[in-house]
């Protein structure tokens, strides 16, 4: 998908609508009860976003991802460090409303969404772990358009990335991309101790999500145009 791809679905709202409701979460790790809770919240949302780690140590996606077939609105996801990207795509292939993003972008209702999965920087040497080095992440993030909603599994360095021991485990490349591109919103996960942590980089709100789910309300991207027509 590219930045000029626009999806029109039965859930698209009329031009009189002035807000876009996004339900976002991360780090389910095969937790079916948490997934069911999110699905119960989904009717309140125009778009659902999952910021990675659906599986556990590279396993479980085959049985877990079909749970999300119950979603009827657009569903945007990125792979976590516990998720193999190709396997995640395979197990979402039959869900036509699901888009897996990794270094690419999709436009929904006039709003660009850019996604980048995996851990960054690498910190786990287990064979199942999926990670990007900072240089690779920096290159992939260069395609993110300005004013997008940015979804990454890893948090930016220094913001919403603090481990229980105080160590900041986030990505310098993600931080730099946010400073340069100034997304409307940045959503991430990965650092469990940082679930619920928030911050601001420039004008961009940053949220480390966790599995409970949170609704974000953005002004409808074309609301000013709608007010004139």
């Amino acid at each position: 998908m590219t930045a000029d791809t626009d999806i029109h679905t039965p859930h698209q709202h009329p031009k009189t609508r002035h807000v876009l409701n996004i339900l976002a979460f991360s780090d389910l790790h095969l937790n079916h009860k948490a997934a069911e809770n999110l699905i119960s919240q989904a009717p309140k949302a125009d778009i659902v976003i999952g910021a990675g780690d659906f599986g556990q140590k590279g396993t479980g996606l085959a049985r877990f991802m079909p749970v999300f077939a119950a979603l009827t609105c657009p569903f945007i996801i990125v792979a976590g460090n516990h998720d193999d990207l190709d396997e995640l795509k395979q197990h979402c292939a039959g869900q036509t409303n699901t888009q897996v993003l990794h270094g690419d972008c999709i436009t929904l209702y006039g709003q660009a969404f850019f996604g980048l999965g995996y851990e960054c920087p690498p910190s786990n040497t287990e064979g199942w772990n999926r990670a990007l080095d900072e240089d690779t992440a920096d290159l992939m993030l260069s395609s993110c358009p300005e004013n997008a909603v940015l979804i990454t599994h890893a948090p930016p360095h220094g913001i919403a990335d603090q481990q229980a021991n105080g160590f900041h485990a986030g990505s310098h490349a993600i931080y730099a991309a946010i400073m340069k591109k100034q997304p409307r919103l940045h959503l991430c996960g990965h650092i469990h101790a940082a679930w619920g942590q928030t911050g601001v980089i420039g004008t961009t709100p940053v949220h480390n999500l966790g599995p409970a789910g949170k609704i974000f309300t953005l002004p409808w991207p074309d609301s000013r145009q709608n007010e004139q027509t």
Side-chain angles (χ1 to χ4, degrees):
M1 296 287 179
T2 59
D4 58 358
T5 301
D6 203 348
I7 298 296
H8 298 278
T9 76
H11 305 277
Q12 188 150 8
H13 291 274
K15 289 185 177 181
T16 54
R17 179 71 180 275
H18 296 305
V19 295
L20 185 65
N21 293 319
I22 299 169
L23 171 63
F25 65 90
S26 70
D27 302 285
L28 290 181
H29 293 290
L30 307 181
N31 186 329
H32 282 262
K33 184 175 181 179
E36 291 168 2
N37 175 57
L38 291 161
I39 290 167
S40 73
Q41 295 180 63
K44 304 173 186 176
D46 303 305
I47 297 168
V48 177
I49 291 175
D53 274 359
F54 294 89
Q56 178 68 20
K57 296 184 177 180
T59 67
L61 293 179
R63 287 195 295 176
F64 191 60
M65 296 314 296
V67 171
F68 296 98
L71 293 175
T72 57
C73 64
F75 184 34
I76 302 172
I77 62 179
V78 301
N81 60 303
H82 286 250
D83 309 320
D84 179 79
L85 179 64
D86 290 337
E87 188 179 353
L88 188 64
K89 288 181 176 180
Q90 175 189 345
H91 295 304
C92 293
Q95 300 175 21
T96 57
N97 61 320
T98 301
Q99 300 292 331
V100 184
L101 300 180
H102 188 61
D104 49 0
C105 189
I106 188 171
T107 300
L108 292 168
Y109 311 128
Q111 173 62 56
F113 295 82
F114 186 93
L116 184 71
Y118 291 175
E119 177 183 66
C120 182
S123 66
N124 188 325
T125 59
E126 296 288 341
W128 52 263
N129 192 61
R130 298 292 182 263
L132 299 172
D133 61 48
E134 294 278 26
D135 289 342
T136 301
D138 184 65
L139 180 61
M140 296 177 75
L141 286 162
S142 66
S143 299
C144 179
E146 295 182 1
N147 299 314
V149 173
L150 175 61
I151 308 136
T152 63
H153 181 58
H157 184 78
I159 303 291
D161 71 333
Q162 197 165 17
Q163 298 276 24
N165 63 2
F167 178 73
H168 289 281
S171 166
H172 290 279
I174 293 172
Y175 184 97
I178 295 171
M179 282 295 294
K180 182 177 181 180
K181 302 290 188 171
Q182 289 293 274
R184 297 182 74 191
L185 179 65
H186 177 229
L187 304 172
C188 60
H190 183 46
I191 307 300
H192 292 201
W195 290 345
Q197 290 183 15
T198 65
V200 178
I201 300 175
T203 60
T204 301
V206 176
H207 293 264
N208 191 312
L209 297 164
K214 181 177 175 63
I215 293 280
F216 298 87
T217 300
L218 295 179
W220 196 260
D222 61 354
S223 60
R224 282 184 293 179
Q225 177 182 345
N226 290 341
E227 289 168 0
Q228 297 169 1
T229 59

